[in-house]
Amino acid sequence: MTSLDELCINTIRTLVMDAVQKAKSGHPGMPMGAAPMAYVLWTRHLRLNPRNPDWFGRDRFILSAGHGSMLLYSLLHLSGFDLSLDDIKNFRQLGSKTPGHPEHGLTPGVEVSTGPLGQGFGNTVGIAIAQAHLAARFNQPGFPIVDFRVYGICSDGDLMEGVSSEATSLAGHFKLGNLIFLYDDNAITIEGSTSLTFSEDVGRRFDALGWHVQRVDGNDLEAVDGALKNAKEEKSKPSLIIARTHIACGSPNKQDTAAAHGAPLGEEEVALTKRNLGWPYAEPFTVPAEAYAPFREAAKRGAESESKWKDLLARYEKEHPKLAAEWKAFMQGELSENWRSLLPKFLSSDKPIATRTASGNVLNALAHEVPALFGGSADLAPSTMTYLDGFGDFSADNYAGRNIHFGIREHAMGTCISGIALTAPFQVFGSTFLIFSDYMRPAIRLAAMTKLKVIYVFSHDSIGLGEDGPSHQPVEHLAALRAIPNLIVLRPADAKETVAAWEFTLEHKSGPVALILSRQALPILDIEQSVISSGVRRGGYVVYESKKNMPQLLLLATGSEVHLIIAAAMELEKEGIAARAVSLPSWELFQQQPRAYRDEILPPSITARLAVEAASPLGWERFVGLQGAAIGMETFGASAPGGKLFEHFGFTVQNIVEKARSFPL
Amino acid sequence: MTSLDELCINTIRTLVMDAVQKAKSGHPGMPMGAAPMAYVLWTRHLRLNPRNPDWFGRDRFILSAGHGSMLLYSLLHLSGFDLSLDDIKNFRQLGSKTPGHPEHGLTPGVEVSTGPLGQGFGNTVGIAIAQAHLAARFNQPGFPIVDFRVYGICSDGDLMEGVSSEATSLAGHFKLGNLIFLYDDNAITIEGSTSLTFSEDVGRRFDALGWHVQRVDGNDLEAVDGALKNAKEEKSKPSLIIARTHIACGSPNKQDTAAAHGAPLGEEEVALTKRNLGWPYAEPFTVPAEAYAPFREAAKRGAESESKWKDLLARYEKEHPKLAAEWKAFMQGELSENWRSLLPKFLSSDKPIATRTASGNVLNALAHEVPALFGGSADLAPSTMTYLDGFGDFSADNYAGRNIHFGIREHAMGTCISGIALTAPFQVFGSTFLIFSDYMRPAIRLAAMTKLKVIYVFSHDSIGLGEDGPSHQPVEHLAALRAIPNLIVLRPADAKETVAAWEFTLEHKSGPVALILSRQALPILDIEQSVISSGVRRGGYVVYESKKNMPQLLLLATGSEVHLIIAAAMELEKEGIAARAVSLPSWELFQQQPRAYRDEILPPSITARLAVEAASPLGWERFVGLQGAAIGMETFGASAPGGKLFEHFGFTVQNIVEKARSFPL
């Protein structure tokens, strides 16, 4: 280690200590221990251009151990990203660019929002999948326009979380040679030594899962450098470099202790540590000018790489004009002009059809014209109907395949599709049964927080799935998804609403969408597709209106219950009760409408309101109020044919009519 | 294989085929392939008494691959549990004892509700933990009153799920030699061959995680038997027996294909399979009398074991009367007479204290007097305050320790504490931050469905946690938990409500409870503890009433927002507005109250209602109605000190007062 190396590493360590100390909160230990290996990675290997953080050809760096955010902020600052020392002094303050855990979209150079452990690890595998896929689709001999690598730093905590095991297995299975993880093996967690809980042989585990594994001393710069070189050479396997490090490295009293994990070291210990590190500067947040040099050198090389890449792309455009045009359209997230004309047309005279089936029809009708459609299922494609016929399987032998088999790994699927969305403007989807959305909630939440454009296809959406029973029947899942900010939940009522839901989804760019689909066949609405498309886009609209009078009663439903309220409204009409049936496929979209529209659909003067949804009624009160009522599921379901369950739990025209009659009209 | 063995195995296979065929749905393939090894396990190893399915000393058998439910139902029927052929003919029908996936509590002999993959695997590890713990606490030399083994069958899907990786790692770490899993390695999932997604070396993975691993041909009865014997001998490691099996074994056209996984074989294929198996009976659901014999022999041995165990227990009572009395009290789930007197007493004059801290005080005050308290944290005990001081760590060296370090494995924690609850009437708890409840939702849901008495301690319950930022700040989690049937969610407002919440929780037996606790200190209510205890038990009560007039306005809150609405009510009173402040710590308990009580607390005539909760407002409309309003979190949080965030997002007395003023009073 040269004295310049040491200076740079200690600059990171002291910035970390000072920032955490000033904020009076944060995680100093991990960054101090991981600083040497991060320094080697950032100054000798990582290809970035801090002046253009979004340059597509850059390597990706993901700090899965997001609590070590000050490590990343230090690296970004030293490398010349738009992150000043003042920003670092504002660590963890309201409105700063340096929040407690890294947030993508807020801080230039932060590729992924990380913090909840294991998530970043999974996202990283997703980015590596996207890289391999784009390379297979667009690279040409002599034109490696997609050739970046994906680097990550992960912690003990990342590796204890199940999602990382799932993602590890997938990455090994797919032989993602573009993926390199440094494992910050500091042997300390919040409760103490990892020996309390974590005695597994991590290297052997990764080896069993198809990874290339190396072990180094994390303080030995040349060893880290050599391991990174080896990892880059190994192109047929993802790499794990197990780097033994020391939490709070350099702190005389807190190194290698849990006390250094999640709290400031304390003024006195900071001073002692600086002295111990041979740090001569009294002023906190001191960055010696020399310490910038190696990072700026690397940045210069990164900028040169970008220039070369741009030249390559220009030559690619001449040599492969058709592919280059596709590339450009892809990277701009454009939809072709005529995609809408390819949407399947359903007629009310058609046989009833499950919305999962209609959804599969839409996907397959569009797959050719929308080349950004890419995704797969957690081993349920034949049931969720998301397979893109004729577009091959993504596999180590065929990274160009557009169907990803995630295996029975919903959580990894969730994190991977977020990683894919982060890489390029894909129309990326992941599918499973609605019940299993629970397995991937942390990933859904982070996608929503980061406003990622990912599409969840959740079928088998209620007791209507039938015999598989209560452990497979979602009850609380609609409410649980509706509670997540920035997530659009869409539960179409029939095939036409399903077409409309996909229309909306493909054009929606500001966050994730969850499509909630039925297993069972549903009748097709006798309403023009254009009316339905406009209604779905607004989240709610009238699907049946009494012909005789002004409505006295509002019936509200989503999905498979909409045809029931229409039939009930017709029935009530015969009895002289004027009911309006409203389909509310998306509460979020409906609530985004102007009040005038909402009041037009749900006139405030009508307080007799009955909601019908085969799910927990939690939240329906916002539409039906204290005078209204809801027919929902207050209990878990049961194992029986779906039709029988609809009867058993009161989702029948007759029960709706009876409940409706009980309103004082 | 003798001809009797073959007959028994084919009896299982044909029962499975017939039941699935009659139900027109189900999963025939797995049971047909796993029948031979299950037969060996049930007739030669498993110690059960079908006449007394709840005999404590029995071995536990868990079918983690719950979709193979017909395997379990066949074994239960053949062994003489209270499950008739008619029950089997009613497979997957409304009200039957043979639902699509096994449901504990519904069917005698079903130890665990399984189906969602990986859950049963984790539950099994929990049962093994409970066994080891009880053995360490109660066994005495010559008196092995707790010496049962825990057996499971798991599938590819179980092992792909991250939760099983977490649980595997824990079981290896804890050296649970009482745990034996047969892995039904049939190489087929719904989407096709496991080679599509699952190329890892499972044996090596388990070996790396500290397991004893064997490989056998699942159709070779003696090999399976030998492996089970070896596994029983290996007392210092959990065992995995990888049994290569064939899905739909015996089916000429569907064996080893995904088509046999989740659909009936079809009348014709059933007939062909029976012919191929040499099955001579034309009538479906035929059980030849001889086929019962080996199972009834095993049952007889089981009944003898129970007798011996009872004798042992009787001698234990004489030899170790004090321990025996403790044992009896433990097994009956009794609380001592004076536990309540040990609850800490908080005074309104005390300094503000976080509810997590108050909760820790309660736990530690009771730990000695409530020996059934057992649990731990997913590496956050120092923050969730759930460590039982002086009661040791559960570890391979000390299974008697009452603090479990689950590591950063929330999902495994969730499944393990359910397994512990299934074993004996523990007061078992698992703690983490509320945000990470998402990682364990599938386990919470199944605990609620199975009405298990488990306690979730979720601290850091809002933006109040401050600087860690939006990825760590729960917003949607309260709503998401409230939507789960059978789960009691309790968010105490202060230390006294925390005491009350624990009082309720310890006595509650019919399902799980989630305690939602603050990171930040909260003032202590100036109300008698007895009033608070009664109020909390009823889910909601008045915490402040204007002294002057009848209330014109209702202010509602939970947890850390309660002291804000009290202060606001006082402020409004100065302006001549009579406001009532209501604490609603548990919506579920409040809704269980008679309407009269609810109307007394929330008089229907008062429509000016304002709810305040630092969480998604979803669902509050059920209390505030269409005329009311809620101050909640419609977005994700931010990274800043908690107090600043409360101001920023409007959780201030001033904002509440302003909003309250805007009501037409």
Side-chain angles (χ1 to χ4, degrees):
Chain A
M1 197 182 305
T2 68
S3 60
L4 179 58
D5 293 336
E6 205 176 333
L7 182 76
C8 291
I9 291 165
N10 285 338
T11 301
I12 296 173
R13 287 178 175 147
T14 54
L15 277 179
V16 167
M17 285 190 285
D18 289 341
V20 173
Q21 197 60 42
K22 181 160 189 288
K24 299 195 190 74
S25 84
H27 301 79
M30 180 273 171
M32 293 171 71
M37 65 186 184
Y39 167 71
V40 172
L41 175 61
W42 276 63
T43 58
R44 303 193 199 173
H45 295 273
L46 203 61
R47 193 175 55 176
L48 295 173
N49 182 5
R51 302 281 168 84
N52 183 11
D54 296 330
W55 163 43
F56 178 82
R58 73 193 182 279
D59 288 334
R60 286 0 181 228
F61 172 77
I62 291 88
L63 182 69
S64 185
H67 57 276
S69 56
M70 264 310 302
L71 174 65
L72 181 52
Y73 300 146
S74 303
L75 294 162
L76 291 172
H77 170 71
L78 292 166
S79 301
F81 284 80
D82 181 15
L83 196 76
S84 67
L85 267 185
D86 280 341
D87 289 323
I88 287 181
K89 290 177 190 167
N90 260 325
F91 183 49
R92 295 183 152 234
Q93 303 310 307
L94 195 59
S96 81
K97 284 201 282 189
T98 47
H101 293 82
E103 296 178 29
H104 174 73
L106 179 66
T107 316
V110 171
E111 300 281 2
V112 176
S113 300
T114 54
L117 291 167
Q119 298 300 312
F121 191 98
N123 298 147
T124 306
V125 172
I127 296 173
I129 287 173
Q131 193 277 352
H133 181 68
L134 290 171
R137 282 174 73 172
F138 290 105
N139 285 357
Q140 291 295 312
F143 292 94
I145 60 169
V146 185
D147 78 336
F148 63 84
R149 285 199 178 77
V150 191
Y151 295 94
I153 292 184
C154 63
S155 63
D156 305 308
D158 285 304
L159 300 188
M160 282 192 248
E161 292 288 0
V163 59
S164 72
S165 288
E166 296 179 10
T168 305
S169 184
L170 265 182
H173 176 74
F174 290 141
K175 302 185 196 298
L176 298 172
N178 54 0
L179 173 62
I180 300 171
F181 255 106
L182 288 158
Y183 161 35
D184 177 48
D185 180 16
N186 67 22
I188 291 293
T189 71
I190 291 173
E191 291 187 359
S193 160
T194 50
S195 66
L196 278 174
T197 52
F198 194 50
S199 49
E200 63 185 57
D201 182 339
V202 171
R204 213 166 140 74
R205 163 178 144 195
F206 273 75
D207 179 72
L209 271 52
W211 284 54
H212 174 243
V213 177
Q214 300 174 80
R215 284 180 183 76
V216 297
D217 172 352
N219 280 338
D220 181 340
L221 305 192
E222 299 317 312
V224 171
D225 187 51
L228 283 167
K229 283 178 183 151
N230 295 340
K232 285 155 89 170
E233 301 267 305
E234 173 56 75
K235 293 186 196 303
S236 64
K237 286 181 177 185
S239 269
L240 184 76
I241 300 169
I242 303 176
R244 183 66 176 92
T245 62
H246 298 275
I247 196 166
C249 188
S251 162
N253 299 303
K254 297 204 170 172
Q255 178 175 319
D256 296 319
T257 72
H261 169 83
L265 296 182
E267 294 289 357
E268 195 179 338
E269 187 67 13
V270 169
L272 290 173
T273 307
K274 286 182 178 175
R275 188 188 310 160
N276 191 39
L277 291 171
W279 188 253
Y281 308 97
E283 190 65 20
F285 299 101
T286 298
V287 180
E290 317 88 276
Y292 285 108
F295 293 94
R296 299 298 159 98
E297 272 301 310
K300 206 176 131 200
R301 290 195 304 276
E304 286 162 9
S305 291
E306 183 180 0
S307 294
K308 281 187 200 155
W309 183 82
K310 281 182 174 161
D311 293 346
L312 182 74
L313 199 61
R315 282 184 284 122
Y316 179 79
E317 277 165 17
K318 280 182 193 145
E319 198 77 24
H320 301 286
K322 191 162 162 285
L323 259 183
E326 277 178 35
W327 166 264
K328 211 172 154 189
F330 199 118
M331 289 301 131
Q332 291 177 352
E334 285 171 7
L335 288 163
S336 73
E337 274 174 33
N338 66 329
W339 70 276
R340 217 178 281 269
S341 67
L342 298 171
L343 288 165
K345 287 166 186 61
F346 294 98
L347 303 173
S348 59
S349 54
D350 289 347
K351 272 200 311 190
I353 174 175
T355 52
R356 63 172 170 148
T357 309
S359 165
N361 292 352
V362 172
L363 272 173
N364 275 290
L366 295 179
H368 188 268
E369 194 68 19
V370 184
L373 268 175
F374 180 44
S377 177
D379 197 46
L380 287 171
S383 297
T384 57
M385 310 280 186
T386 48
Y387 197 83
L388 306 178
D389 295 321
F391 291 92
D393 293 344
F394 179 89
S395 74
D397 299 327
N398 177 28
Y399 288 135
R402 285 168 59 190
N403 292 285
I404 308 174
H405 295 277
F406 288 105
I408 302 158
R409 303 183 184 97
E410 299 82 7
H411 204 168
M413 176 171 74
T415 59
C416 283
I417 61 177
S418 288
I420 292 168
L422 282 158
T423 310
F426 280 96
Q427 298 276 0
V428 64
F429 60 88
S431 77
T432 184
F433 292 167
L434 178 56
I435 192 88
F436 302 132
S437 62
D438 272 355
Y439 277 78
M440 55 193 284
R441 269 182 80 83
I444 298 174
R445 170 174 225 273
L446 272 179
M449 194 187 103
T450 315
K451 301 191 173 72
L452 299 182
K453 201 266 161 75
V454 293
I455 306 164
Y456 306 108
V457 181
F458 294 139
S459 73
H460 292 58
D461 69 348
S462 77
I463 49 166
L465 67 85
E467 293 89 342
D468 274 348
S471 65
H472 282 58
Q473 290 160 356
V475 168
E476 69 275 26
H477 301 75
L478 276 168
L481 291 171
R482 285 170 179 153
I484 300 178
N486 292 356
L487 174 67
I488 303 290
V489 180
L490 264 164
R491 186 174 186 240
D494 77 335
K496 288 181 181 173
E497 281 199 3
T498 305
V499 169
W502 271 109
E503 267 188 280
F504 166 81
T505 300
L506 289 184
E507 290 190 328
H508 184 67
K509 291 186 173 180
S510 58
V513 177
L515 298 174
I516 313 293
L517 305 173
S518 75
R519 178 194 183 209
Q520 71 273 29
L522 301 173
I524 299 176
L525 292 171
D526 189 12
I527 302 175
E528 286 284 321
Q529 179 71 53
S530 62
V531 174
I532 287 181
S533 291
S534 146
V536 168
R537 193 169 287 271
R538 304 182 101 171
Y541 65 108
V542 177
V543 286
Y544 184 80
E545 187 84 296
S546 164
K547 271 123 208 144
K548 295 180 193 159
N549 301 92
M550 285 294 291
Q552 306 159 273
L553 172 77
L554 299 180
L555 299 175
L556 295 79
T558 75
S560 50
E561 289 68 73
V562 170
H563 73 276
L564 298 179
I565 60 165
I566 294 176
M570 290 177 175
E571 198 63 31
L572 288 163
E573 195 165 22
K574 290 184 200 157
E575 303 180 15
I577 298 175
R580 166 183 288 185
V582 173
S583 174
L584 273 179
S586 172
W587 293 11
E588 298 78 21
L589 294 179
F590 188 67
Q591 280 161 207
Q592 286 170 15
Q593 301 309 308
R595 171 154 289 283
Y597 180 76
R598 285 181 284 142
D599 287 351
E600 182 192 322
I601 303 299
L602 306 177
S605 59
I606 309 178
T607 57
R609 298 174 173 206
L610 177 62
V612 185
E613 188 172 59
S616 165
L618 190 84
W620 271 107
E621 296 90 347
R622 71 174 47 172
F623 300 112
V624 302
L626 295 175
Q627 276 78 49
I631 300 176
M633 292 290 297
E634 302 273 7
T635 66
F636 291 101
S639 173
K644 285 255 190 297
L645 292 174
F646 262 60
E647 277 172 40
H648 180 72
F649 287 104
F651 300 97
T652 61
V653 174
Q654 193 193 342
N655 190 40
I656 298 168
V657 167
E658 275 171 29
K659 284 273 188 317
R661 278 195 210 114
S662 71
F663 281 100
L665 295 176
Chain B
M1 196 181 308
T2 67
S3 60
L4 179 58
D5 293 335
E6 206 178 334
L7 182 76
C8 292
I9 292 166
N10 286 338
T11 300
I12 297 173
R13 288 179 176 146
T14 54
L15 276 179
V16 168
M17 284 190 284
D18 289 341
V20 173
Q21 197 61 42
K22 181 159 188 288
K24 300 197 190 72
S25 85
H27 301 79
M30 180 273 172
M32 293 171 70
M37 64 186 185
Y39 168 71
V40 172
L41 175 61
W42 278 62
T43 57
R44 304 193 197 173
H45 296 273
L46 204 60
R47 193 175 54 177
L48 295 174
N49 182 5
R51 302 280 168 85
N52 183 10
D54 296 331
W55 163 43
F56 178 83
R58 73 192 182 279
D59 289 334
R60 299 327 191 249
F61 172 78
I62 292 87
L63 182 68
S64 184
H67 57 277
S69 56
M70 264 310 303
L71 174 65
L72 181 52
Y73 300 147
S74 302
L75 294 162
L76 291 172
H77 170 71
L78 291 166
S79 300
F81 284 82
D82 180 14
L83 197 76
S84 67
L85 267 185
D86 280 341
D87 289 324
I88 286 181
K89 289 176 190 168
N90 260 325
F91 183 49
R92 294 184 154 234
Q93 303 310 306
L94 195 60
S96 81
K97 283 201 285 190
T98 47
H101 293 82
E103 296 178 30
H104 174 74
L106 179 65
T107 316
V110 170
E111 300 280 3
V112 177
S113 300
T114 54
L117 291 167
Q119 299 299 312
F121 191 99
N123 298 147
T124 306
V125 172
I127 296 173
I129 288 173
Q131 193 277 352
H133 181 67
L134 291 171
R137 283 174 72 171
F138 290 104
N139 285 357
Q140 291 295 313
F143 293 94
I145 60 167
V146 184
D147 78 337
F148 63 84
R149 286 199 177 79
V150 190
Y151 295 94
I153 292 184
C154 63
S155 63
D156 304 307
D158 285 305
L159 299 188
M160 282 193 248
E161 291 289 0
V163 60
S164 73
S165 287
E166 296 179 10
T168 305
S169 185
L170 267 181
H173 176 74
F174 290 140
K175 302 188 199 294
L176 298 172
N178 55 359
L179 173 61
I180 300 172
F181 255 107
L182 287 159
Y183 161 33
D184 177 47
D185 180 16
N186 67 22
I188 291 293
T189 71
I190 291 174
E191 293 188 357
S193 160
T194 51
S195 66
L196 278 173
T197 52
F198 195 50
S199 48
E200 63 185 59
D201 182 338
V202 171
R204 212 166 141 72
R205 164 179 142 194
F206 273 73
D207 178 74
L209 271 52
W211 285 53
H212 174 241
V213 177
Q214 301 173 80
R215 284 180 185 77
V216 297
D217 173 352
N219 280 337
D220 181 339
L221 306 192
E222 299 317 312
V224 171
D225 187 51
L228 284 166
K229 282 177 183 152
N230 294 340
K232 285 154 91 170
E233 302 265 305
E234 173 57 74
K235 293 187 196 302
S236 64
K237 287 182 177 184
S239 269
L240 183 76
I241 300 169
I242 303 177
R244 183 66 177 92
T245 61
H246 298 275
I247 195 166
C249 190
S251 162
N253 299 302
K254 297 203 170 170
Q255 178 177 317
D256 296 320
T257 72
H261 169 82
L265 296 182
E267 294 289 355
E268 195 179 339
E269 188 67 12
V270 169
L272 290 173
T273 306
K274 287 183 178 175
R275 188 186 310 158
N276 191 40
L277 293 171
W279 187 254
Y281 308 98
E283 191 65 18
F285 300 102
T286 299
V287 180
E290 317 91 275
Y292 286 108
F295 293 95
R296 299 298 158 97
E297 272 300 310
K300 207 176 130 201
R301 290 196 304 276
E304 287 162 10
S305 290
E306 183 180 1
S307 294
K308 282 188 200 155
W309 183 81
K310 281 181 174 161
D311 292 346
L312 183 74
L313 199 62
R315 282 184 284 124
Y316 179 78
E317 277 167 14
K318 282 181 192 147
E319 198 78 24
H320 302 285
K322 190 161 164 288
L323 259 183
E326 279 179 34
W327 167 264
K328 210 172 154 190
F330 200 117
M331 290 301 131
Q332 291 176 352
E334 284 171 5
L335 288 163
S336 72
E337 273 173 34
N338 66 331
W339 70 275
R340 217 179 282 270
S341 69
L342 298 170
L343 289 165
K345 287 168 185 58
F346 294 98
L347 302 173
S348 59
S349 55
D350 289 347
K351 271 198 312 190
I353 174 176
T355 52
R356 61 172 171 150
T357 309
S359 164
N361 292 352
V362 173
L363 271 173
N364 275 290
L366 295 179
H368 188 268
E369 193 67 19
V370 184
L373 267 175
F374 180 44
S377 176
D379 196 47
L380 287 171
S383 297
T384 57
M385 309 281 186
T386 48
Y387 196 83
L388 305 179
D389 294 321
F391 291 91
D393 294 343
F394 179 89
S395 72
D397 299 328
N398 177 27
Y399 288 134
R402 285 169 59 190
N403 292 285
I404 309 175
H405 295 277
F406 288 104
I408 302 158
R409 304 183 184 97
E410 299 83 7
H411 204 168
M413 176 172 74
T415 58
C416 283
I417 61 177
S418 288
I420 292 167
L422 282 159
T423 310
F426 280 97
Q427 299 276 1
V428 63
F429 60 88
S431 77
T432 183
F433 292 168
L434 178 55
I435 191 88
F436 301 132
S437 61
D438 272 354
Y439 278 78
M440 54 193 286
R441 269 182 80 82
I444 298 173
R445 170 175 225 271
L446 272 179
M449 194 187 102
T450 315
K451 302 193 172 71
L452 299 181
K453 201 268 162 75
V454 293
I455 307 165
Y456 306 108
V457 181
F458 294 138
S459 74
H460 292 58
D461 69 348
S462 77
I463 50 168
L465 66 86
E467 294 90 341
D468 273 348
S471 65
H472 283 57
Q473 289 160 355
V475 168
E476 68 276 25
H477 300 75
L478 277 169
L481 291 171
R482 286 170 179 154
I484 300 177
N486 293 355
L487 174 69
I488 303 290
V489 180
L490 263 165
R491 187 174 186 239
D494 78 335
K496 289 181 180 175
E497 280 200 4
T498 306
V499 169
W502 270 109
E503 266 188 282
F504 165 81
T505 300
L506 289 183
E507 291 189 328
H508 183 67
K509 291 186 175 181
S510 58
V513 177
L515 298 174
I516 313 291
L517 305 174
S518 76
R519 177 194 183 208
Q520 71 273 28
L522 301 174
I524 298 176
L525 291 171
D526 189 11
I527 302 175
E528 286 284 322
Q529 179 71 54
S530 61
V531 174
I532 287 181
S533 290
S534 145
V536 167
R537 194 170 286 272
R538 305 183 100 173
Y541 65 109
V542 176
V543 287
Y544 185 79
E545 188 83 294
S546 166
K547 273 123 206 142
K548 295 180 192 158
N549 301 91
M550 286 292 292
Q552 307 159 272
L553 171 77
L554 300 179
L555 298 174
L556 295 80
T558 75
S560 50
E561 289 69 72
V562 170
H563 72 275
L564 298 179
I565 59 166
I566 295 175
M570 292 176 171
E571 198 62 32
L572 287 163
E573 195 163 21
K574 291 184 200 156
E575 303 180 14
I577 298 175
R580 166 184 288 187
V582 173
S583 174
L584 273 180
S586 173
W587 292 11
E588 298 78 22
L589 294 179
F590 188 66
Q591 281 162 206
Q592 286 169 15
Q593 301 309 309
R595 170 155 289 283
Y597 180 76
R598 284 180 283 142
D599 287 351
E600 182 193 322
I601 303 300
L602 306 176
S605 60
I606 309 177
T607 58
R609 298 174 174 207
L610 178 63
V612 185
E613 188 172 60
S616 165
L618 189 83
W620 271 107
E621 297 90 348
R622 71 174 47 172
F623 300 113
V624 301
L626 296 174
Q627 277 78 51
I631 300 175
M633 292 290 298
E634 301 273 9
T635 66
F636 291 101
S639 173
K644 285 255 190 299
L645 292 175
F646 261 60
E647 278 173 40
H648 179 72
F649 287 104
F651 300 97
T652 61
V653 175
Q654 192 192 343
N655 190 41
I656 298 169
V657 167
E658 276 172 30
K659 283 274 187 315
R661 279 197 209 112
S662 71
F663 280 99
L665 296 175

